Amino acid sequence: MQQVATLRAEVLRAAVIYGVCASLAEGGTHADEWLAWLEWVADLRSTLTGQTRSDHEPLAFPEWLQDLIDALEAGAYDEPRNLFAEPDFRDWSRDEFEVLAERARPIERLGLEPLGEIGDQPPAAGPRLLALLQDSLVLASAEDRQAWEQRVKAIELLEHLNAARAAGTWELLTR
Amino acid sequence: MKARPRQSERERVRGVMRAQEIIDLLGTTFIKASDLYVDLDPDGRQLTRNEMTKVREQMTAITLCLREIHSDHELIDYLAADGRRTGRDTDLRPTISLLRKAQRSFGLALSDDPQRRAETMPGKEFFRSFEPISRFWIDL
């Protein structure tokens, strides 16, 4: 089902961008976790061609995030960024949530659970990742600091992504 | 001297207490979210400032609730299976599913983009899912 494939591609793309950004902000850029995020970026850049929104290059980063990554590579990024004070991240989170919601609606209308019917093993890996990402995008765009603090940390999101990949949830993406 | 409860008994008690917390949290969130949804009846229109404030608050409340129970999926699955075994409906998953739909639709209702707002779940569609779930909560 094309709508499901499109939603999966959007979920992956948003999850990786969110994860890279959260990882940068949490200061984990020299750890294995950061390397794992870069690996996800490389994987997705090679598999998402043509499956994301037409106004995006495959896994193109938003400009503000690319600036952060460029600064990191140039050695000019020496402390974690306070994402709460970063309106670009908040706006991006809000927009991404809307994109996911918009993509999920045609599937909802059919009476199906978005990402819940693709033969996942275990069955809940896809929906659980979508849920985690949705919640975190809402909280990342919240203006209330206490709500903001409840968003998912990069490492937890990475574990869910890896679990989904291990479960074969995303293999259809590359077909 | 009273015997100390065994590990499995402590776990059972902890599970029962956690289940009750989840039920209370979900029930309260569901009632408040449904009240607003029915009242708002989103139809793709641009919301007023007052409506937007209410929707944002409710969307955050739904999200915090769902985030709070995210790691309890095994317990929630167990409750559903246990209910089937004992003939009592204790399946919280339809409520969680409807809260997710409401969360997504509240997000779309807040959008600046009219095309996205037009995708919001209409009140009628919400109500079709709401009816059986509200009966579940009354029976519970």
Side-chain angles (χ1 to χ4, degrees):
Chain A
M1 185 182 176
Q2 184 55 40
Q3 285 143 328
V4 174
T6 308
L7 178 61
R8 266 182 305 173
E10 292 290 1
V11 167
L12 273 179
R13 194 182 55 76
V16 169
I17 292 175
Y18 177 101
V20 167
C21 203
S23 185
L24 271 170
E26 290 159 18
T29 53
H30 300 293
D32 289 349
E33 182 196 321
W34 177 244
L35 294 176
W37 280 117
L38 293 185
E39 200 178 304
W40 267 102
V41 171
D43 277 5
L44 287 177
R45 278 194 163 141
S46 66
T47 57
L48 282 180
T49 311
Q51 295 199 42
T52 48
R53 278 171 288 168
S54 56
D55 57 341
H56 279 82
E57 290 297 311
L59 203 65
F61 286 134
E63 199 177 327
W64 53 273
L65 179 54
Q66 190 59 56
D67 288 348
L68 287 183
I69 292 173
D70 290 347
L72 178 74
E73 284 172 358
Y77 184 89
D78 51 6
E79 60 181 40
R81 183 72 70 100
N82 176 10
L83 286 179
F84 187 66
E86 189 72 70
D88 284 338
F89 184 62
R90 206 175 287 176
D91 289 347
W92 174 83
S93 298
R94 185 173 160 230
D95 188 57
E96 285 302 320
F97 180 83
E98 288 179 14
V99 169
L100 295 183
E102 193 181 18
R103 295 293 192 208
R105 277 295 293 145
I107 305 169
E108 273 181 16
R109 265 193 226 104
L110 296 172
L112 301 171
E113 194 66 35
L115 298 191
E117 78 302 343
I118 343 168
D120 300 345
Q121 294 294 331
R128 206 165 289 150
L129 179 61
L130 173 62
L132 191 68
L133 185 62
Q134 273 186 190
D135 292 347
S136 294
L137 291 172
V138 170
L139 297 173
S141 59
E143 289 179 17
D144 171 54
R145 184 82 204 209
Q146 276 185 309
W148 159 269
E149 293 294 350
Q150 299 305 312
R151 78 202 184 284
V152 72
K153 296 284 182 287
I155 187 71
E156 191 188 340
L157 183 60
L158 185 65
E159 283 164 8
H160 276 77
L161 269 173
N162 288 337
R165 179 153 64 183
T169 303
W170 308 105
E171 65 181 11
L172 286 172
L173 198 66
T174 55
R175 290 182 188 166
Chain B
M1 196 171 102
K2 201 174 172 185
R4 289 173 64 186
R6 286 175 306 172
Q7 181 71 20
S8 58
E9 177 62 10
R10 280 206 298 270
E11 279 173 10
R12 195 189 68 79
V13 170
R14 207 176 294 140
V16 169
M17 287 169 70
R18 181 60 187 155
Q20 194 54 55
E21 285 171 2
I22 294 170
I23 288 168
D24 291 346
L25 180 62
L26 267 180
T28 311
T29 309
F30 171 70
I31 290 165
K32 288 183 179 170
S34 302
D35 273 353
L36 179 62
Y37 211 98
V38 171
D39 193 34
L40 193 70
D41 193 14
D43 57 0
R45 69 182 187 280
Q46 175 81 59
L47 302 181
T48 64
R49 193 179 290 265
N50 188 32
E51 286 175 328
M52 286 173 105
T53 304
K54 285 181 186 169
V55 168
R56 271 199 205 98
E57 281 172 5
Q58 206 47 244
M59 195 163 103
T60 305
I62 292 172
T63 304
L64 288 173
C65 164
L66 295 172
R67 186 83 182 104
E68 161 82 26
I69 63 171
H70 182 79
S71 54
D72 290 307
H73 50 87
E74 282 179 8
L75 180 56
I76 289 164
D77 289 347
Y78 172 80
L79 281 175
D82 193 51
R84 276 197 303 276
R85 198 170 47 80
T86 58
R88 286 178 59 231
D89 187 2
T90 46
D91 192 353
L92 301 171
R93 293 172 303 186
T95 303
I96 294 170
S97 175
L98 186 57
L99 284 177
R100 283 246 160 261
K101 286 185 194 170
Q103 180 202 44
R104 285 194 279 265
S105 275
F106 279 148
L108 290 171
L110 287 170
S111 179
D112 296 330
D113 180 346
Q115 268 188 304
R116 286 183 182 169
R117 286 203 305 272
E119 286 294 321
T120 309
M121 169 170 52
K124 270 187 186 170
E125 187 183 331
F126 178 85
F127 199 72
R128 273 200 299 276
S129 305
F130 166 82
E131 266 193 314
I133 297 171
S134 64
R135 276 200 299 275
F136 163 85
W137 284 99
I138 291 166
D139 292 346
L140 196 73

